[in-house]
Amino acid sequence: MPIAVSLMAGIGVSERWATDWAVMLLPTSVVLLAVCLSGRWPRWQTAGIWLLAAALGMMWGTARRQQLAVEWPKEPVGMQVVVVSEPTVKERTVVADVVMAGSGRKIRCRMARDAASERIGIGDRLAVRTRVKQPHEWRSGHFSYQQYMQCHGFSGEAFAGSGQWRVCAASLAGLPMTERVRLKALLVRHSLLGDYRRWGLSGDEYGVIAAMTVGDKSRLSEQLKDTYAKAGASHVLALSGLHLMMIYAVISLMVGWWRFRTVSQVAIVLAMWAFAFVAGLPPSVVRSAFMISVYALMSLGYRERMSLNTLAFTAIVMLVVNPLALYDVGFQLSFMAVLAIVLLNPLLGRLIAPHVLQRHRWLSALWGTTTVSVAAQAGTAPLVVYHFGALPTYFLLSSYIVIPAVTLMLYLTLASVVTGWWTSLQQVLVVALTTIASWTNRLLESIARLPYSSVEGISLSTLQLVLCYVMLGALWTLLTLTVDRKNGEQR
């Protein structure tokens, strides 16, 4: 964990002390040499490793920023691009993420809304002639639009009028291999979304099911997003570890009887990545799939699977791949949620005696949901206030609704896809799926309308955010000492 924290600190420092990444090569090499020569002094060697991780973080963070900082021509340029996201139709524009053929640079393109732009889909190749510029800066509280664009790999943004673009013959030529793989994944997801519409799904039910099962949030209304946010359930609208752990649990039950443990765990890992592929390989799912893969493979050595080391290793790999992911709100929330669950959940679980939970399985399930929800909320609450200026108060009540609902919706969706050959059974499953989605929305609307469902208008400075986590760390230490002392007295 200290290495991961040092890497994060180095990436954070690189934003303030911007310089050429090559300038850091000499001091980094000196630190590396010092680490290698300090084997006789373990403490100095440990400090050197932390410093080396920080230096590498500075190098990677600076290099990534320089890679995205493109000097675009001031006059319009012609280029061929490929659409790599589900276009979002707004009041006057159609917004889509595109990748330039040849350079592989990612651009957010806004096109004037008309009959032609509304028909654009994932995988379309467009010939565009327009002016590209660096993402503009727009701030609201602690949110920085420019930083958000950097986190997601955008080098620029552009607007194309009705006569400034045309559709070309479909081709993936000129795209980097990683983008080709991701685009093929998105095409699979697009096909699955077409199946949803053929089933008759529409409105808010379609939006919720598409978001919870394949991660497409383009059809979620602002009102529905606000409802889920006030009810403290907005996290279920973004595919994350919650969804993948449900799939992991089901597949574990299916292959748990296999004699060859290695084969079963590899099959689980492959299934996780297959789901991530169908979901379009969004960063949150890739992050969760990687962590669950480590979790599954660690079990082969009969070691502690979900530990601080597992979390730290996952964070290091994700930051090496994309150092600016550190500034992604999703990365921050998921990291702190898992960290809180790893540290707090075992302590909260011991507040009720194990023999009581073993006697009452319903109580064990209810208490497990409660402790995980409380731990995750405790870990993410300061960040939620810091970024969004609001805090839901009925998150625990919402958890009792959304966790079973998401589980049922995932399984019913999978069953509906598998039973495509049996139309009558598929129709029954789709009706059940739509009913659950509708009732979930209605219940969360009722919770959102409760008095003081969301405490709004609050804010935290960066220093206050740090102090909040210092206080949480002190509380965890006190709770750990209390529980250990209690267990010692019982023995």
Side-chain angles (χ1 to χ4, degrees), residues 33 72 203 275 362 468:
L33 180 62
W72 297 103
F275 177 79
W362 63 269
C468 283

mmCIF file with all atom_site columns, all heavy atoms in Angstrom, residues 33 72 203 275 362 468:
data_model
loop_
_atom_site.group_PDB
_atom_site.id
_atom_site.type_symbol
_atom_site.label_atom_id
_atom_site.label_alt_id
_atom_site.label_comp_id
_atom_site.label_asym_id
_atom_site.label_entity_id
_atom_site.label_seq_id
_atom_site.pdbx_PDB_ins_code
_atom_site.Cartn_x
_atom_site.Cartn_y
_atom_site.Cartn_z
_atom_site.occupancy
_atom_site.B_iso_or_equiv
_atom_site.pdbx_formal_charge
_atom_site.auth_seq_id
_atom_site.auth_comp_id
_atom_site.auth_asym_id
_atom_site.auth_atom_id
_atom_site.pdbx_PDB_model_num
ATOM 1  N N   . LEU A 1 33  ? 19.633  3.563   -8.238  1.00 0.00 ? 33  LEU A N   1
ATOM 2  C CA  . LEU A 1 33  ? 20.959  3.067   -7.863  1.00 0.00 ? 33  LEU A CA  1
ATOM 3  C C   . LEU A 1 33  ? 21.113  3.032   -6.350  1.00 0.00 ? 33  LEU A C   1
ATOM 4  O O   . LEU A 1 33  ? 21.650  2.058   -5.787  1.00 0.00 ? 33  LEU A O   1
ATOM 5  C CB  . LEU A 1 33  ? 22.039  3.957   -8.488  1.00 0.00 ? 33  LEU A CB  1
ATOM 6  C CG  . LEU A 1 33  ? 23.491  3.572   -8.192  1.00 0.00 ? 33  LEU A CG  1
ATOM 7  C CD1 . LEU A 1 33  ? 23.797  2.179   -8.739  1.00 0.00 ? 33  LEU A CD1 1
ATOM 8  C CD2 . LEU A 1 33  ? 24.457  4.603   -8.781  1.00 0.00 ? 33  LEU A CD2 1
ATOM 9  N N   . TRP A 1 72  ? -3.127  22.154  -32.042 1.00 0.00 ? 72  TRP A N   1
ATOM 10 C CA  . TRP A 1 72  ? -3.968  21.995  -33.220 1.00 0.00 ? 72  TRP A CA  1
ATOM 11 C C   . TRP A 1 72  ? -3.851  23.221  -34.125 1.00 0.00 ? 72  TRP A C   1
ATOM 12 O O   . TRP A 1 72  ? -3.699  24.346  -33.654 1.00 0.00 ? 72  TRP A O   1
ATOM 13 C CB  . TRP A 1 72  ? -5.423  21.795  -32.805 1.00 0.00 ? 72  TRP A CB  1
ATOM 14 C CG  . TRP A 1 72  ? -5.669  20.557  -32.000 1.00 0.00 ? 72  TRP A CG  1
ATOM 15 C CD1 . TRP A 1 72  ? -5.853  20.476  -30.657 1.00 0.00 ? 72  TRP A CD1 1
ATOM 16 C CD2 . TRP A 1 72  ? -5.757  19.229  -32.496 1.00 0.00 ? 72  TRP A CD2 1
ATOM 17 N NE1 . TRP A 1 72  ? -6.045  19.186  -30.265 1.00 0.00 ? 72  TRP A NE1 1
ATOM 18 C CE2 . TRP A 1 72  ? -5.991  18.377  -31.375 1.00 0.00 ? 72  TRP A CE2 1
ATOM 19 C CE3 . TRP A 1 72  ? -5.657  18.651  -33.756 1.00 0.00 ? 72  TRP A CE3 1
ATOM 20 C CZ2 . TRP A 1 72  ? -6.140  17.017  -31.494 1.00 0.00 ? 72  TRP A CZ2 1
ATOM 21 C CZ3 . TRP A 1 72  ? -5.807  17.281  -33.875 1.00 0.00 ? 72  TRP A CZ3 1
ATOM 22 C CH2 . TRP A 1 72  ? -6.035  16.477  -32.764 1.00 0.00 ? 72  TRP A CH2 1
ATOM 23 N N   . GLY A 1 203 ? -38.300 3.740   -22.423 1.00 0.00 ? 203 GLY A N   1
ATOM 24 C CA  . GLY A 1 203 ? -38.431 4.690   -21.322 1.00 0.00 ? 203 GLY A CA  1
ATOM 25 C C   . GLY A 1 203 ? -37.388 4.493   -20.238 1.00 0.00 ? 203 GLY A C   1
ATOM 26 O O   . GLY A 1 203 ? -36.263 4.042   -20.480 1.00 0.00 ? 203 GLY A O   1
ATOM 27 N N   . PHE A 1 275 ? -17.590 -10.637 -19.885 1.00 0.00 ? 275 PHE A N   1
ATOM 28 C CA  . PHE A 1 275 ? -18.614 -9.652  -19.529 1.00 0.00 ? 275 PHE A CA  1
ATOM 29 C C   . PHE A 1 275 ? -18.077 -8.236  -19.717 1.00 0.00 ? 275 PHE A C   1
ATOM 30 O O   . PHE A 1 275 ? -18.777 -7.358  -20.230 1.00 0.00 ? 275 PHE A O   1
ATOM 31 C CB  . PHE A 1 275 ? -19.061 -9.859  -18.082 1.00 0.00 ? 275 PHE A CB  1
ATOM 32 C CG  . PHE A 1 275 ? -20.061 -8.831  -17.617 1.00 0.00 ? 275 PHE A CG  1
ATOM 33 C CD1 . PHE A 1 275 ? -21.394 -8.930  -17.973 1.00 0.00 ? 275 PHE A CD1 1
ATOM 34 C CD2 . PHE A 1 275 ? -19.660 -7.757  -16.840 1.00 0.00 ? 275 PHE A CD2 1
ATOM 35 C CE1 . PHE A 1 275 ? -22.318 -7.984  -17.559 1.00 0.00 ? 275 PHE A CE1 1
ATOM 36 C CE2 . PHE A 1 275 ? -20.566 -6.800  -16.423 1.00 0.00 ? 275 PHE A CE2 1
ATOM 37 C CZ  . PHE A 1 275 ? -21.908 -6.921  -16.780 1.00 0.00 ? 275 PHE A CZ  1
ATOM 38 N N   . TRP A 1 362 ? -31.012 -15.598 7.537   1.00 0.00 ? 362 TRP A N   1
ATOM 39 C CA  . TRP A 1 362 ? -31.613 -14.353 7.038   1.00 0.00 ? 362 TRP A CA  1
ATOM 40 C C   . TRP A 1 362 ? -30.964 -13.147 7.715   1.00 0.00 ? 362 TRP A C   1
ATOM 41 O O   . TRP A 1 362 ? -30.745 -12.109 7.084   1.00 0.00 ? 362 TRP A O   1
ATOM 42 C CB  . TRP A 1 362 ? -33.125 -14.362 7.287   1.00 0.00 ? 362 TRP A CB  1
ATOM 43 C CG  . TRP A 1 362 ? -33.491 -14.406 8.754   1.00 0.00 ? 362 TRP A CG  1
ATOM 44 C CD1 . TRP A 1 362 ? -33.701 -15.519 9.517   1.00 0.00 ? 362 TRP A CD1 1
ATOM 45 C CD2 . TRP A 1 362 ? -33.653 -13.281 9.628   1.00 0.00 ? 362 TRP A CD2 1
ATOM 46 N NE1 . TRP A 1 362 ? -33.983 -15.181 10.825  1.00 0.00 ? 362 TRP A NE1 1
ATOM 47 C CE2 . TRP A 1 362 ? -33.970 -13.798 10.917  1.00 0.00 ? 362 TRP A CE2 1
ATOM 48 C CE3 . TRP A 1 362 ? -33.566 -11.911 9.471   1.00 0.00 ? 362 TRP A CE3 1
ATOM 49 C CZ2 . TRP A 1 362 ? -34.202 -12.976 12.019  1.00 0.00 ? 362 TRP A CZ2 1
ATOM 50 C CZ3 . TRP A 1 362 ? -33.793 -11.091 10.564  1.00 0.00 ? 362 TRP A CZ3 1
ATOM 51 C CH2 . TRP A 1 362 ? -34.116 -11.636 11.822  1.00 0.00 ? 362 TRP A CH2 1
ATOM 52 N N   . CYS A 1 468 ? -10.800 14.665  7.040   1.00 0.00 ? 468 CYS A N   1
ATOM 53 C CA  . CYS A 1 468 ? -11.885 13.692  7.205   1.00 0.00 ? 468 CYS A CA  1
ATOM 54 C C   . CYS A 1 468 ? -11.345 12.269  7.168   1.00 0.00 ? 468 CYS A C   1
ATOM 55 O O   . CYS A 1 468 ? -11.731 11.419  7.982   1.00 0.00 ? 468 CYS A O   1
ATOM 56 C CB  . CYS A 1 468 ? -12.938 13.885  6.119   1.00 0.00 ? 468 CYS A CB  1
ATOM 57 S SG  . CYS A 1 468 ? -14.049 15.286  6.369   1.00 0.00 ? 468 CYS A SG  1
#
